Amino acid sequence: MENKKIVVALGRNCFGKTFPQQQENVKKAAKAIADLVEKKYEIVITHSNGLQVGMIQTAMTEFSRLDNTHTVAPMSVCGAMSQGYIGFDLQNAIRTELLNRGIYKPVSTIITQVRVDPFDPAFHNPSKVIGRFMTKDEADMEERKGNYVTYDNGKDGEGWRRIIASPNPIDIYEIDAIRTLLDAGQLVIAAGGGGIPVLDQRTGLKGASAVIEKDYTAAKLADMVNAGALLILTGKDNVLIDKGTPDEKALGMLTVEEAQKLVEEDKFKPTTSLPKIDASLRFVTAGKDRKAVITNVDKAVDGLAERVGTIIK
């Protein structure tokens, strides 16, 4: 009997850079989710928050400068805020799409905490760029506070920016609540932005100054709910290798061995396609009869039916 449990990971193309853009873009994601509901899949949704968490962190930092009675919001708090407001837009868009199709199914957002290891090497080698561009003087001030900065010359601009750690997810604290809602036939939005990274301190949890790679948390979440498939939705039909060269190729069906060989040959970009492939391999190899699909948000059903997309199984 087919395992109908799936985890759907929505990429940043499903949202936008502004509040109005996000409210418009989530409608496309909602249609994809509703299509999967009509196919009787049991769904947990997770999502990117790359632009949003940076925007929140920048806004809260600027607010603290304007009013020195307020402190800068920790990254864990910014992550929680991004989960809340993205979840709000997403669950309402899905609810509306389902009701327009005559389907009543509750949709819930779980503010999700993910345990990380305080000794993870990532804390000594930060890689995630966040927040606004800074002057050299502002960057020097950040370093005096003990924060890491880097010079960013990318498509969004040029200047100094803060960078933080991206540790691996170890455990998901709200997993029992997620399973309960899933088993009750509800749609669950969880672990947005990779989850809020926290450190276990006996009976307490302390937010870590980090951002977890969302694809790795999606793989962990899919494993912990015993999903049959991990569906990573992007803006492209397939993952490409050797892009822009005569050897450019769109990847289709791959065995685990074939995907691992491509990773070893450095065929994937470290900040974009590599985490998706690596997360897919983690999920597929952690259990039996599993598959991971990476494809366009407009082709979610076709991807699960293995008619399109990069598929690892």
Side-chain angles (χ1 to χ4, degrees), residues 44-47 83 108-112 178 188-193 195 221:
V44 180
I45 305 155
T46 188
H47 58 78
Q83 283 190 14
S108 302
T109 298
I110 301 289
I111 303 300
T112 313
I178 295 166
V188 189
I189 301 167
L221 177 59

Side-chain angles (χ1 to χ4, degrees), residues 54-279:
M55 179 179 65
I56 292 169
Q57 193 267 344
T58 298
M60 298 303 289
T61 299
E62 291 301 310
F63 177 56
S64 71
R65 288 179 181 170
L66 293 172
D67 186 345
N68 60 16
T69 63
H70 292 271
T71 58
V72 175
M75 278 305 302
S76 53
V77 172
C78 295
M81 294 171 78
S82 74
Q83 283 190 14
Y85 101 78
I86 294 172
F88 168 68
D89 280 345
L90 188 55
Q91 73 182 38
N92 282 339
I94 294 170
R95 179 181 183 274
T96 297
E97 181 67 26
L98 290 174
L99 289 176
N100 286 342
R101 300 187 188 197
I103 301 169
Y104 176 75
K105 183 179 280 285
V107 188
S108 302
T109 298
I110 301 289
I111 303 300
T112 313
Q113 301 174 95
V114 176
R115 182 160 69 92
V116 297
D117 184 351
F119 301 107
D120 192 305
F123 285 109
H124 301 289
N125 186 29
S127 59
K128 287 285 187 180
V129 179
I130 63 161
R132 67 178 180 87
F133 289 98
M134 298 180 288
T135 65
K136 184 64 168 65
D137 287 343
E138 290 173 325
D140 290 341
M141 186 179 298
E142 285 296 318
E143 287 190 319
R144 288 195 292 271
K145 294 177 185 176
N147 296 324
Y148 292 87
V149 297
T150 189
Y151 192 80
D152 183 20
N153 184 13
K155 64 179 181 179
D156 294 327
E158 183 176 355
W160 295 91
R161 297 179 75 184
R162 187 177 167 193
I163 51 173
I164 60 175
S166 182
N168 275 305
I170 297 173
D171 194 14
I172 298 173
Y173 283 99
E174 287 72 28
I175 193 64
D176 287 339
I178 295 166
R179 287 175 181 144
T180 298
L181 290 170
L182 184 61
D183 290 344
Q186 299 195 24
L187 283 171
V188 189
I189 301 167
I196 305 163
V198 293
L199 305 173
D200 195 340
Q201 297 186 333
R202 295 185 180 179
T203 57
L205 300 175
K206 180 181 179 180
S209 182
V211 173
I212 304 171
E213 172 56 57
K214 63 175 175 53
D215 295 317
Y216 292 144
T217 301
K220 173 64 73 174
L221 177 59
D223 182 45
M224 294 183 78
V225 300
N226 193 30
L230 170 62
L231 178 60
I232 300 176
L233 297 180
T234 69
K236 305 290 184 182
D237 287 3
N238 300 73
V239 175
L240 300 178
I241 58 172
D242 298 320
K243 188 176 180 180
T245 74
D247 296 324
E248 180 177 309
K249 181 181 179 182
L251 298 175
M253 185 72 71
L254 295 172
T255 65
V256 167
E257 292 74 22
E258 289 170 336
Q260 287 175 334
K261 187 173 185 293
L262 291 172
V263 171
E264 292 165 3
E265 293 173 349
D266 295 323
K267 291 293 188 179
F268 304 109
K269 292 185 178 181
T271 58
T272 53
S273 55
L274 179 58
K276 293 176 176 57
I277 296 293
D278 194 16

